[in-house]
Amino acid sequence: MEALDQVWRADAPRIRAALARRLGDLDAAEDALQEAVAAALDHWPADGVPANPGGWLLITAWRRAVDRLRREARGRELLARVADVDQTEDDRLALLFGCCDPVLPTEAQIALTLRAVGGLSTAEVAAAFLVPETTMAQRLTRARRTLKNRPSPFAVPDPERLAERLDGVLHVLYLVFNEGYQSRAPLRTEALRLTRELADLMPGEPEAAGLAALMELHEARSATRFDADGALVTLDDQDRSRWDGALIGAALRRLRRAVALCRPGVYQLQAGIAAQHAIAPTAGATDWRAIRALYDRLHALRPDPVTWLSRAVATWRLHGPERALAEVEEVSERLGHYRLLHATRAELLAALGRDEEAGRAARTAHDLAVDPAERRLLDARLTGRSADPAR
């Protein structure tokens, strides 16, 4: 039923979050939601789609959950305290903190957030982690069982305890946004909304504001990332007149307030790099020296090979392809299965006239790419149309 499918995509995460916070049990919330969907399949074709279909599903799911709780001893105890749940608290933010409980491994936190908060199916979460669906289903089941035994698992912690989970929550939001940035606009929008809310909730935490600013800067140019045919448009070729200037301005103000707290972090530095691209009136006017300096600071805080690879792109713009290629080769063994390593090598080798090696690197990048738009861009490179790796 098309109407129900549309409602599911739009409202299922919100309904699941509301039920989970009140019930304190993701499995019970999921069961109640599925029962409500089954009821909709029975009633909507005959009675018509209700004026507020999302509200209908929530009320129906809640009634089914209450009926089940009344039949169970534990459920009757839970019902006695359900009335005390704060109805003004954001359900999805509470669910996010619950999914990011440090009792869970980081990978489980991310998977559970994608499934429960982001609304991805188990199959989609499994694809994101490159594991079989049955494996991911088992991981999610274990995570839900662990949280089921926690007191008040789906509630925003008291203010003095917020910082305990902040790193994990920010990391998960960052990954959810990136997942949405590829092809899922609603997921990206939800990650941005939650991050902004978190930044407002914790004004003394500059990294929360830094991540919100980073997301806003990327969101500001999201409309120009693809052309009319769905092909990926590189940063240098994007129409900057279509970037959202108001959103860029808001992000820059947010970033300045975060930096003023004098506690630098990885999200603030990444936002600073994105800001340099955002304020450049043309691609040629980009301040690559400032970007490389920011990458130096970022690598000092987070000395991982991906940061070094990104820094090498700035080196290319400042000092040429030969020096940049030498920097890329320093991390080539550690990033052997990372598509952007091979895509960047292909561009640098081509710039040095080493076309045969460049072709091999481009083919490797193409084979490792999963996103269809990215594969199309790499196809274009393989057929001789050059593009810049920065995007």
Side-chain angles (χ1 to χ4, degrees):
M1 187 178 181
E2 185 178 350
L4 181 57
D5 184 57
Q6 292 175 351
V7 174
W8 176 265
R9 288 199 299 269
D11 291 338
R14 175 182 62 83
I15 296 169
R16 185 185 294 109
L19 294 169
R21 187 164 69 87
R22 287 157 178 77
L23 297 170
D25 186 335
L26 263 177
D27 286 331
E30 194 66 51
D31 290 343
L33 181 54
Q34 293 299 331
E35 289 183 20
V37 169
L41 289 171
D42 286 340
H43 293 283
W44 290 8
D47 302 339
V49 178
N52 181 3
W56 189 98
L57 284 176
L58 176 58
I59 292 171
T60 302
W62 177 244
R63 286 173 177 168
R64 298 298 174 94
V66 169
D67 288 343
R68 181 177 297 181
L69 290 172
R70 284 172 176 160
R71 296 192 296 268
E72 303 170 356
R74 177 184 176 275
R76 290 192 292 273
E77 293 175 5
L78 178 60
L79 279 174
R81 59 182 176 86
V82 159
D84 295 329
V85 175
D86 179 10
Q87 302 298 311
T88 63
E89 184 180 86
D90 186 284
D91 293 317
R92 280 167 289 190
L93 193 59
L95 184 58
L96 175 66
F97 272 98
C99 291
C100 296
D101 193 312
V103 72
L104 298 174
T106 299
E107 190 174 78
Q109 294 177 30
I110 297 167
L112 198 59
T113 299
L114 289 172
R115 176 71 185 92
V117 184
L120 273 67
S121 68
T122 302
E124 290 169 327
V125 177
F129 279 84
L130 303 178
V131 299
E133 183 177 353
T134 53
T135 300
M136 182 51 65
Q138 291 169 354
R139 291 181 185 176
L140 291 169
T141 297
R142 285 196 297 270
R144 287 194 294 265
R145 285 175 179 168
T146 299
L147 293 182
K148 192 171 183 177
N149 297 320
R150 304 281 286 174
S152 303
F154 302 114
V156 176
D158 294 333
E160 62 271 15
R161 294 186 55 234
L162 282 171
E164 295 176 10
R165 297 192 189 178
L166 182 61
D167 288 347
V169 170
L170 292 179
H171 182 57
V172 168
L173 286 169
Y174 176 78
L175 292 172
V176 172
F177 182 85
N178 283 347
E179 181 73 19
Y181 202 62
Q182 297 303 316
S183 58
R184 293 176 169 275
L187 194 59
R188 184 179 77 234
T189 300
E190 180 65 7
L192 176 55
R193 187 190 71 81
L194 287 169
T195 305
R196 284 169 165 165
E197 212 167 294
L198 187 61
D200 292 341
L201 186 67
M202 306 179 72
E205 294 292 344
E207 279 291 79
L211 180 57
L214 175 62
M215 290 181 179
E216 288 170 337
L217 289 165
H218 283 301
E219 183 67 22
R221 60 182 179 87
S222 62
T224 63
R225 292 186 71 238
F226 298 93
D227 65 17
D229 297 323
L232 193 63
V233 180
T234 58
L235 183 58
D236 279 4
D237 294 329
Q238 290 175 11
D239 181 357
R240 297 182 180 224
S241 68
R242 294 178 55 210
W243 289 0
D244 188 334
L247 186 55
I248 290 172
L252 294 177
R253 289 190 294 274
R254 187 189 295 275
L255 181 58
R256 282 194 291 269
R257 291 194 298 270
V259 171
L261 295 174
C262 299
R263 286 156 51 203
V266 295
Y267 297 120
Q268 294 169 73
L269 291 169
Q270 288 181 77
I273 292 165
Q276 288 298 325
H277 290 294
I279 64 176
T282 65
T286 305
D287 189 345
W288 287 101
R289 193 171 302 281
I291 289 175
R292 192 170 185 269
L294 286 165
Y295 272 121
D296 283 336
R297 295 180 62 194
L298 180 59
H299 192 261
L301 286 179
R302 190 183 64 188
D304 64 68
V306 174
T307 300
W308 189 258
L309 176 65
S310 299
R311 178 184 180 275
V313 175
T315 299
W316 177 12
R317 299 305 186 95
L318 287 171
H319 304 295
E322 186 170 0
R323 182 167 166 183
L325 182 60
E327 293 182 359
V328 169
E329 300 295 8
E330 291 181 32
V331 295
S332 59
E333 289 189 9
R334 286 182 286 169
L335 295 177
H337 296 289
Y338 185 48
R339 69 199 186 284
L340 294 184
L341 169 86
H342 299 285
T344 304
R345 284 190 77 250
E347 294 300 317
L348 294 171
L349 289 165
L352 292 168
R354 295 160 61 176
D355 294 338
E356 185 175 342
E357 294 173 84
R360 288 198 298 271
R363 279 190 291 275
T364 301
H366 179 275
D367 291 343
L368 291 171
V370 175
D371 182 67
E374 191 168 5
R375 291 175 72 94
R376 287 176 63 185
L377 179 64
L378 291 166
D379 279 335
R381 292 177 181 175
L382 283 168
T383 55
R385 296 195 297 273
S386 64
D388 188 274
R391 56 182 188 273

